Amino acid sequence: MEKLKRFFTDDRPLKTKVLIALVASFGCCFTFFIFGPLDLAIYNDSLIPFDFADYLPIALGVGLLFMAVLFAIFMFVKNRGFDILISLFVGILIAGYVQGTFLNGYLGEMTGDAVDWAALQTQTIVNALVWIGLIAIPFLVLRFAKAAWSKLVVLVPVALVAMQLVGLVSTVTVSGVMETHKLRQDEPAPGFLSTQGLFELSSEDNIILLILDRLDVDYTQEILAEDPDYFAPLDGFTYYTNNTSLYNQTYPSVAYMLTGEETDIRTPKKEYLTQAWENATFIPTLQQNGYVARLYFDHSSVYTDIAQLEGIADNIAPGEKQIRFRAANSGMLKLSAYRYAPYLLKPYFWSPADFSPTVGYVSDQVPYVIDDYGFSQALQNSGITLQDRANCLQYYHLSGGHGPFTMDENGQLIEGANYISHIKGCYTTIYEYIRQMKELGIYEDATIIITGDHGALPDNAAPSSAVLPALFVKPSGSSGTPLEVSHDAVSDSQLRASLLAYAGIDSSAEGETYEEAIANHSNEVRHYIYLYDNLARRSNVCTFDIFGDANDYENWKIADQYEVEAQPW
């Protein structure tokens, strides 16, 4: 009874207890509820659809609310119970800070890819032991040096908050996120890429670009090994097995494919994308020749500001963007918990990198969100419709070989899907799209390209094997013939010229077509730029020269390697 009483009586000065409780509660809540989410929001600004300035008061409000609750709990517990509770939370603060700053290793970027936790069992055990040791520090000091404990539980939180606060202010200043918000407020007509005309094609000529993220040649070969006739519905197509992309990630690969503008990885994302779309000639050329261009992709990797696509995308809808406070706060807190949690608990905080539910628009139009299952259902429910006002360029970006995987081979939602089942589900949707085009009599005159924006490789190391995106091409006028296979060397640099040529438009300004490059042997040397290891905000770049058959990694020669600092875009 006496021991229990000591937990609820306290003879230390009230101001001492208040100071300790206040500092400990603020240190924990600032780190995990304010600094963590805000820091992640800045460094992932291009992936998160809401403005940092809109999220800032949410993070501050939530952090201060949790601090008040934690402070009240600390003040309620007395004497020995107070010491133990303060020690526990300061220990968690120390361990969490060390985890988020030094111990995470490579756990991937916000790509939505699941982590193979089974392969990290050793790291998980070691990490748990480190956590136990760090959390034990305040308890050991409490046990053996009580006077030093009072200083430790005050000075450590103060020091950590001070370091993080300085870093946060510096990052906000360097990144310009507040200035970006002011500029967006001044925009006369904010908007977004809508689903307008999603399945509305021309009764005359259509160009269909179907991009399945990470549609690697190896995936295609796996499917063919199971069923050699799987791609039979692609009549009139040629399957190019020796196709390369210039870049290994959606950014900057898609922008390069559609604009031809190359970038130095060290160039800030917004600067590059603004320049790329300003200099774009491929889509404007189509528009000048009677085409409407509808682009269905997300903002994070292909554009950073809807103004970049003005005059390019014909499916931009006006609408004021509004942050959904609960969804934004839940998503960012979960991401912060994933960052600071020990390996043992990280699986509970992992989530797909989908922040589309965090914003809404005041508009009668619906934003396009990459959702392979939703796309399939919309196609089946709405179906393709025709209009005779203009020819159409339709660019569709689907997840394809990029996790998370949610569909079976019939395009139905299932638990435990894998990349092959999901990709087959996408092809089921594509085959339905083709079936409807044939039924409407517009298939033969259509140009259709199915490809990946890049191949598939773990992005935490330089490639050690060949990586190529699959490429299926059906030129206008081609149909009723079995799928052909070509082993000739091609690359995504020929996509724009090929599409113009197939549409009967002068393509010389965009370079060579696939056929011209093959005839001229222009692809004797192709190039590949690989960005990897985004660890501790550093990036490594490895560039390759590729000779001959890109499927043979012996033909990949390293041209250059260098490290760059990742930038808060």
Side-chain angles (χ1 to χ4, degrees), residues 321-475:
K321 183 166 63 176
Q322 294 183 335
I323 186 171
R324 292 172 174 162
F325 299 105
R326 182 177 296 181
N329 185 54
S330 174
M332 293 310 299
L333 287 181
K334 194 170 186 180
L335 192 62
S336 179
Y338 180 74
R339 175 186 189 176
Y340 290 113
Y343 276 43
L344 189 65
L345 299 180
K346 284 188 188 295
Y348 300 100
F349 299 114
W350 179 92
S351 62
D354 180 15
F355 279 81
S356 55
T358 62
V359 295
Y361 292 88
V362 181
S363 174
D364 57 358
Q365 299 277 352
V366 178
Y368 179 76
V369 176
I370 296 178
D371 176 3
D372 296 359
Y373 176 73
F375 184 87
S376 173
Q377 293 301 298
L379 176 63
Q380 294 180 46
N381 295 334
S382 302
I384 295 173
T385 60
L386 299 181
Q387 50 79 26
D388 57 10
R389 300 183 305 276
N391 297 325
C392 293
L393 165 68
Q394 304 281 108
Y395 176 105
Y396 301 112
H397 200 111
L398 303 179
S399 295
H402 190 301
F405 306 115
T406 59
M407 296 194 301
D408 66 13
E409 61 183 13
N410 297 312
Q412 299 302 309
L413 290 177
I414 62 166
E415 293 287 338
N418 57 42
Y419 64 94
I420 291 296
S421 71
H422 192 98
I423 290 172
K424 284 185 174 181
C426 290
Y427 275 110
T428 296
T429 303
I430 292 172
Y431 294 162
E432 171 61 18
Y433 194 105
I434 288 174
R435 186 196 66 78
Q436 293 189 26
M437 291 184 71
K438 289 181 176 179
E439 194 173 80
L440 293 168
I442 58 173
Y443 180 74
E444 182 172 350
D445 291 334
T447 292
I448 305 175
I449 288 184
I450 305 166
T451 189
D453 50 352
H454 54 85
L457 257 187
D459 49 3
N460 61 338
S464 57
S465 60
V467 51
L468 299 80
L471 173 65
F472 295 87
V473 179
K474 189 199 89 66

Side-chain angles (χ1 to χ4, degrees), residues 105 129 143 148 203 207 214 250 308 344 367 405 509 517 546:
L129 293 175
R143 175 68 177 81
S203 58
I207 297 174
R214 293 189 187 175
T250 302
Q308 294 165 343
L344 189 65
F405 306 115
I546 304 173

